[in-house]
Amino acid sequence: MGQTRLIQQQIHRRGDFELKRFEDEGAYKYSYYAVLHRGERIEVKCPECGGHAYIECANGEVQWRCSQCYAQAVKEEDYEYIGRGYCAVCERWISVEVTDKKQISHSLVHITCPHCGAVNQAEMHKRPASRGYYREIQNGRDPLFDLELYFLDHVRGKQIWAVNREHLNYLIAYVSADLRVKSGGKMIKTASHSIPAYIKDAKNRETVTRVLSKMQHNF
C-alpha cells in the first residue's frame, strides 16, 4: 500500500481530539469561467427584487434569471473588429483593430500600416471579443452583468463570498479544517490558492466559519 493511501486512511489525533482533515481540490475549480463552463450556476442577487437569482450558460448564451420575480436577461456577445491584409507599399502583413463605429459595418476598411505608415484598404473581420473566456469576480460582483453575488458578507470590514453553494461548502470545510492536504500530494496550485490571506488567517478562523455558516441559510 502506497504512502498516499496510508495517509488517507490514517486517523490524525492531537491529544484526545480527532483532527478535522481536509483534502484540497484542483486549482481554479471555482473560477467564474470554470463554473459556467461546467454547466453550473453562479448565485447572485436579482437587480429587480433583491431576491435569489442565478447566472448560467445555456444554449451557448450566458444569462441570468431570478427564481422569485422571474426577471431575466441575456448577455449580448461583445465583438472586436480587425482590418487584415497585406500592405500595398511595404507588402508586409497587417492586422489592426478598428474602433471607429462608422467603419465597423463595412466589409472593407481603411487602416494605417503599423510598419510603414501607408494607408491601406483591408478586409474587415469580426470575432467574439471574449472568445469563451470571462474576467474574474471583482468586489463581490460578477464580471458580465455586474450583479452582486448572493453569498456575500464581510469579516472585519473585508468581503467574503462564494460563487454558489458548493463553493460555500468548500470554504467552510477548508477554513474549519485542522489538517489540510493536497489531493495526491502532487498539485502545485489548489483551489485554496485564490483564497485571500485574511480568510486563511488562524486568528479569523472562528469568525470566518461563523459568517460562512450563516450564509448557508440564505435560501
Side-chain angles (χ1 to χ4, degrees):
M1 184 179 294
Q3 182 66 21
T4 301
R5 186 71 173 175
L6 288 171
I7 292 175
Q8 291 176 342
Q9 292 185 346
Q10 182 179 1
I11 297 178
H12 300 271
R13 294 180 178 276
R14 181 186 297 139
D16 295 328
F17 299 95
E18 183 176 340
L19 301 183
K20 294 177 66 176
R21 183 179 181 279
F22 175 82
E23 186 173 289
D24 213 337
E25 301 180 46
Y28 312 112
K29 179 178 179 180
Y30 299 105
S31 71
Y32 189 83
Y33 169 77
V35 171
L36 292 180
H37 184 69
R38 290 195 303 270
E40 298 170 6
R41 294 174 173 179
I42 304 286
E43 313 289 344
V44 293
K45 292 182 180 178
C46 175
E48 302 294 332
C49 70
H52 170 257
Y54 56 87
I55 299 170
E56 65 179 355
C57 185
N59 300 319
E61 294 182 326
V62 180
Q63 57 190 328
W64 70 264
R65 296 174 180 269
C66 179
S67 56
Q68 294 178 246
C69 73
Y70 304 108
Q72 59 183 316
V74 175
K75 173 62 178 177
E76 295 184 1
E77 182 66 81
D78 292 323
Y79 293 95
E80 58 186 11
Y81 299 85
I82 309 294
R84 293 176 177 170
Y86 285 96
C87 177
V89 177
C90 69
E91 299 183 345
R92 298 174 71 176
W93 175 258
I94 52 179
S95 179
V96 178
E97 183 177 2
V98 178
T99 57
D100 185 350
K101 293 184 178 180
K102 295 179 180 179
Q103 295 195 71
I104 61 177
S105 61
H106 299 162
S107 59
L108 295 175
V109 63
H110 288 91
I111 59 175
T112 301
C113 175
H115 308 295
C116 69
V119 177
N120 288 263
Q121 189 177 64
E123 290 186 356
M124 178 72 80
H125 294 265
K126 174 183 174 182
R127 66 186 183 189
S130 65
R131 276 167 275 177
Y133 293 90
Y134 313 115
R135 298 184 302 275
E136 280 306 309
I137 292 166
Q138 296 289 335
N139 301 316
R141 308 185 75 89
D142 93 275
L144 291 185
F145 300 99
D146 194 36
L147 300 180
E148 183 178 307
L149 294 179
Y150 194 76
F151 296 112
L152 173 68
D153 211 319
H154 294 80
V155 172
R156 304 186 189 282
K158 297 182 178 180
Q159 284 186 339
I160 182 170
W161 50 260
V163 296
N164 53 30
R165 187 170 292 279
E166 182 183 358
H167 186 205
L168 178 61
N169 293 336
Y170 165 85
L171 290 174
I172 293 173
Y174 176 87
V175 174
S176 62
D178 299 298
L179 178 66
R180 299 165 184 151
V181 298
K182 295 181 179 180
S183 177
K186 296 180 179 180
M187 290 185 293
I188 297 175
K189 286 185 178 181
T190 60
S192 62
H193 178 77
S194 60
I195 298 177
Y198 60 86
I199 294 179
K200 298 178 180 180
D201 196 328
K203 69 180 181 182
N204 294 330
R205 176 177 174 178
E206 184 177 341
T207 302
V208 170
T209 302
R210 184 172 64 253
V211 171
L212 289 171
S213 298
K214 184 178 70 174
M215 283 195 278
Q216 283 185 311
H217 305 290
N218 279 8
F219 75 94

